[in-house]
Amino acid sequence: MEKIDIITGTTAAAMAAKLSNVEVIAAYPITPQSHCVEALAKYVADGELDAEFVKVESEHSAMATCIGASATGVRTFTATASQGLALMHEMLYIASGMRLPIVMLNTNRALSAPINIWCDQQDSIAERDSGWIQIYAEDNQETLDSVVQAFKIAEDEEVLLPVMVNIDGFILTHTVEPVAIPDEEKVREYLGIYEPKHAYLDPDRPITQGPVGVPECYMETRKDLNDAIEGSREVIKRVNEEYYKLFNRKYGNGLVEGYNLEDADTVLVAMGSVCGTIKYVINELKEKGKNVGLLRIRTYRPFPKEDVVEMLKDANNVAVLDKNISLGFNMGALGIDVSSVLKNKKVCNYIVGLGGRDITPQDIEEIISHVEGAKDGETKWINLKE
Amino acid sequence: MIEIRFHGRGGQGAVTAAQILATSAFYDGKYSQGFPFFGVERRGAPVMAFTRIDDKKIILRSQIYNPDYVVVQDAGLLSAVNVVEGLKKDGTVVVNTTEEDMDLGFKTYTIDATGIALDILGVPIVNTTMLGAFIGATDIVSIDSVKKAILNTFKGKLGEKNAKAAEVAYNTIKNKE
């Protein structure tokens, strides 16, 4: 039976990993994800989860351990944030290059310097090109559902790629709210047991994984990797539908979620928890007779190019919110991506919420009124002190 | 939507109070959020925590700037922090103090929560006691749900003592009225 509990985003992720019957967890604690691995360590210690919990000395080792474990063909999970994710950087490319279906919770947090433990999305954006599928959840319920879905997507024969589920640090990780927790047996039946069919480490059938890729073959492996993540869009959509049939919850088409897009001349584009605040403002404005829409990007990679074009086709003012900044370009990553796929349309970029700067309904209203009077290509930093 | 702001000192359990209140509202069949102020937390320093309660799913993610209610766990904060900042005009404040009356420019309830906590818990940790007093003053959730949430937060005897402290504070406020 599904039950509802009032929990934080980190607990929701830990519960999802437990429901998914992960077999190896290797992690190093870092704020704001520590509660996630602490909960998992407790599940293992209490005998509630039959998994190997490997304590490591750094995030680099955490990902190296996940790679080794996943390569033997077991379901593997880890969690990190910010500096921890940055320290994993070279290992992330190895995980995707070896086509290992590792699932990781990243609790979005700013990068130093100056030291800042609070939320922005610079950490995961910096790993944009690593070959990991990136999902951004809006609330704690979606966090739980996305971690379960992530295993289904990652382990799909057509995908075989690692998946990073991103949730906003503190805003979700430290907030308790009601979350429906699906029945464990039902989740385990849905996911099944991960059984790699192709390349995996087995003493009875010795192979080498991730060896030298000489110029004669390296480029083809990169093309294969790109084809896999490009092709994952269909799998992500399918998993979203399957999950809806079984658990009665879906998130747009899996890649994007449209909110109040019909007849909306002005549309905001954003990722993560700020989408809740945007929906709140949209609802308030609607009561006053003003129509504004939201296009929530759920999977940043693979980027939902076709959906962005299709769903924004009637919008005249597109405001893209970024909790990151591409230094030297004066735009956030999402702003750059949306601008590159939308032709002949006004797209403005808003840098918001860096390092935990709160994003209020007033900030959203300011963005809406600015974009309606702005010229194409403007970038504005919101709620910046003079 | 009802918004509550807790003022306390790092280590006094303001965040736990906000979470227990959110859980209590959930037990009452409502939607809720409980979260800390996203800032620096140090033992003894002024801290804040927040709860939102509504009949529909709560999607707003900003911090709370115009609360309906304020809970002050430590009267010593009154000289350091403007606890009523942004409080709605018809808002209510509940303060832990030995003073009988207090004029903060808003409807204000006072309670000697430290005295109750020392008496029942043996330590001056007032978060659950103040929660009981707050519910006595406002009735925004049921005291039974608060007790249940406390018992689910603190296991065993500790939970029972904290639930008792909340109930005593609840009755103290009710008897004043």
Side-chain angles (χ1 to χ4, degrees):
Chain A
M1 261 288 284
E2 184 169 274
K3 73 176 181 88
I4 300 173
D5 211 346
I6 179 154
I7 54 174
T8 62
T10 40
T11 305
M15 281 183 169
K18 176 170 170 281
L19 293 172
S20 304
N21 207 11
V22 294
E23 293 161 284
V24 173
I25 303 149
Y28 191 82
I30 179 171
T31 300
Q33 75 80 4
S34 302
H35 295 143
C36 177
V37 294
E38 282 169 13
L40 285 165
K42 191 167 187 314
Y43 294 145
V44 173
D46 292 349
E48 289 178 43
L49 175 64
D50 184 18
E52 191 80 32
F53 191 103
V54 187
K55 283 172 275 190
V56 288
E57 77 281 10
S58 75
E59 287 85 355
H60 189 278
S61 305
M63 186 47 64
T65 304
C66 287
I67 289 167
S70 183
T72 68
V74 296
R75 192 168 285 158
T76 309
F77 181 80
T78 188
T80 194
S82 180
Q83 309 302 123
L85 184 63
L87 188 55
M88 281 180 185
H89 174 72
E90 68 166 336
M91 285 292 147
L92 296 181
Y93 280 67
I94 292 170
S96 60
M98 285 171 64
R99 306 292 298 274
L100 299 172
I102 299 163
V103 172
M104 171 160 66
L105 174 78
N106 181 56
T107 57
N108 286 112
R109 166 184 150 178
L111 286 164
S112 300
I115 294 172
N116 177 298
I117 62 167
W118 295 278
C119 178
D120 69 34
Q121 295 170 344
Q122 194 77 50
D123 54 356
S124 51
I125 292 296
E127 306 305 337
R128 180 188 68 184
D129 301 331
S130 62
W132 282 62
I133 290 170
Q134 289 196 1
I135 296 173
Y136 289 78
E138 182 186 318
D139 58 26
N140 292 352
Q141 182 69 61
E142 190 181 357
T143 302
L144 184 146
D145 294 333
S146 297
V147 169
V148 173
Q149 290 179 3
F151 285 107
K152 194 73 176 174
I153 296 161
E155 293 167 6
D156 190 285
E157 281 289 296
E158 298 299 312
V159 179
L160 289 177
L161 286 173
V163 179
M164 188 188 298
V165 175
N166 293 282
I167 66 171
D168 283 331
F170 291 93
I171 302 167
L172 296 186
T173 61
H174 285 56
T175 295
V176 297
E177 61 186 11
V179 174
I181 299 147
D183 178 58
E184 188 166 278
E185 287 306 310
K186 202 170 163 186
V187 172
R188 291 182 179 187
E189 196 186 330
Y190 171 57
L191 291 181
I193 291 164
Y194 169 51
E195 283 178 294
K197 295 189 181 61
H198 308 295
Y200 57 94
L201 300 176
D202 178 358
D204 294 332
R205 198 192 59 142
I207 58 161
T208 300
Q209 285 207 35
V212 178
V214 293
E216 286 75 17
C217 74
Y218 180 84
M219 204 160 157
E220 286 69 28
T221 66
R222 299 299 284 173
K223 179 66 166 63
D224 283 349
L225 193 53
N226 189 56
D227 288 348
I229 195 163
E230 285 283 324
S232 71
R233 287 188 189 92
E234 291 311 312
V235 176
I236 295 165
K237 285 185 191 174
R238 194 183 71 223
V239 167
N240 186 53
E241 287 300 324
E242 285 170 4
Y243 197 87
Y244 175 63
K245 285 197 186 98
L246 283 168
F247 302 102
N248 211 25
R249 283 185 297 277
K250 69 193 297 187
Y251 300 99
N253 70 356
L255 306 172
V256 292
E257 181 202 354
Y259 191 81
N260 201 46
L261 285 178
E262 210 171 307
D263 300 326
D265 203 36
T266 299
V267 176
L268 277 60
V269 184
M271 305 194 290
S273 66
V274 71
C275 294
T277 303
I278 294 171
K279 289 173 183 173
Y280 177 86
V281 172
I282 287 173
N283 295 348
E284 299 249 300
L285 291 175
K286 200 165 189 171
E287 279 181 23
K288 293 178 194 159
K290 185 172 169 62
N291 222 22
V292 174
L294 165 70
L295 179 62
R296 178 165 79 90
I297 305 295
R298 182 165 182 258
T299 60
Y300 179 58
R301 285 294 182 270
F303 191 71
K305 290 181 186 176
E306 288 176 11
D307 297 293
V308 169
V309 172
E310 173 60 25
M311 294 171 88
L312 293 177
K313 67 178 190 303
D314 297 326
N316 287 316
N317 308 304
V318 177
V320 185
L321 280 69
D322 266 296
K323 279 178 147 181
N324 70 88
I325 174 69
S326 179
L327 300 169
F329 206 94
N330 194 32
M331 280 181 85
L334 188 57
I336 296 169
D337 288 357
V338 171
S339 301
S340 83
V341 299
L342 288 183
K343 312 290 178 207
N344 306 318
K345 208 172 267 293
K346 188 212 291 184
V347 182
C348 293
N349 194 207
Y350 297 89
I351 307 302
V352 294
L354 300 189
R357 180 67 49 89
D358 197 21
I359 306 170
T360 65
Q362 292 73 29
D363 294 333
I364 303 302
E365 285 167 18
E366 183 189 336
I367 289 168
I368 292 165
S369 84
H370 183 273
V371 73
E372 291 179 346
K375 289 201 237 7
D376 179 35
E378 285 186 35
T379 295
K380 188 171 164 61
W381 291 57
I382 294 297
N383 201 0
L384 195 66
K385 288 178 184 163
E386 294 296 323
Chain B
M1 184 159 63
I2 300 171
E3 296 183 316
I4 302 104
R5 184 172 68 209
F6 292 84
H7 289 274
R9 291 189 183 277
Q12 283 182 334
V15 177
T16 305
Q19 294 187 341
I20 291 172
L21 180 58
T23 306
S24 311
F26 168 66
Y27 290 155
D28 276 356
K30 297 192 169 142
Y31 287 93
S32 58
Q33 273 181 353
F35 55 100
F37 170 71
F38 306 141
V40 178
E41 291 163 39
R42 286 161 297 156
R43 191 160 284 271
V47 298
M48 287 191 289
F50 309 97
T51 304
R52 282 193 176 102
I53 300 171
D54 205 351
D55 293 325
K56 55 181 194 291
K57 188 180 171 183
I58 299 168
I59 53 176
L60 180 60
R61 294 285 168 194
S62 66
Q63 307 235 320
I64 291 171
Y65 299 93
N66 299 110
D68 299 276
Y69 302 101
V70 166
V71 180
V72 184
Q73 294 182 340
D74 183 337
L77 291 167
L78 295 171
S79 57
V81 181
N82 179 12
V83 297
V84 295
E85 188 177 2
L87 180 62
K88 289 199 182 111
K89 253 189 256 164
D90 54 351
T92 301
V93 192
V94 184
V95 186
N96 171 23
T97 174
T98 51
E99 286 179 36
E100 272 298 311
D101 292 305
M102 193 171 272
D103 183 11
L104 295 170
F106 294 85
K107 189 173 187 190
T108 304
Y109 290 83
T110 62
I111 184 156
D112 178 16
T114 306
I116 294 170
L118 282 173
D119 189 34
I120 297 170
L121 306 173
V123 288
I125 306 288
V126 298
N127 57 351
T128 48
T129 309
M130 282 304 287
L131 210 45
F134 174 61
I135 300 313
T138 63
D139 286 311
I140 56 166
V141 297
S142 69
I143 187 67
D144 287 343
S145 291
V146 171
K147 281 159 64 184
K148 185 177 161 192
I150 289 171
L151 290 170
N152 282 336
T153 304
F154 306 105
K155 298 293 167 212
K157 232 179 164 49
L158 186 64
E160 286 168 27
K161 282 184 176 177
N162 276 280
K164 176 90 195 301
E167 189 168 32
V168 168
Y170 174 86
N171 290 330
T172 304
I173 292 283
K174 286 290 180 208
N175 291 335
K176 269 191 187 181
E177 283 181 339

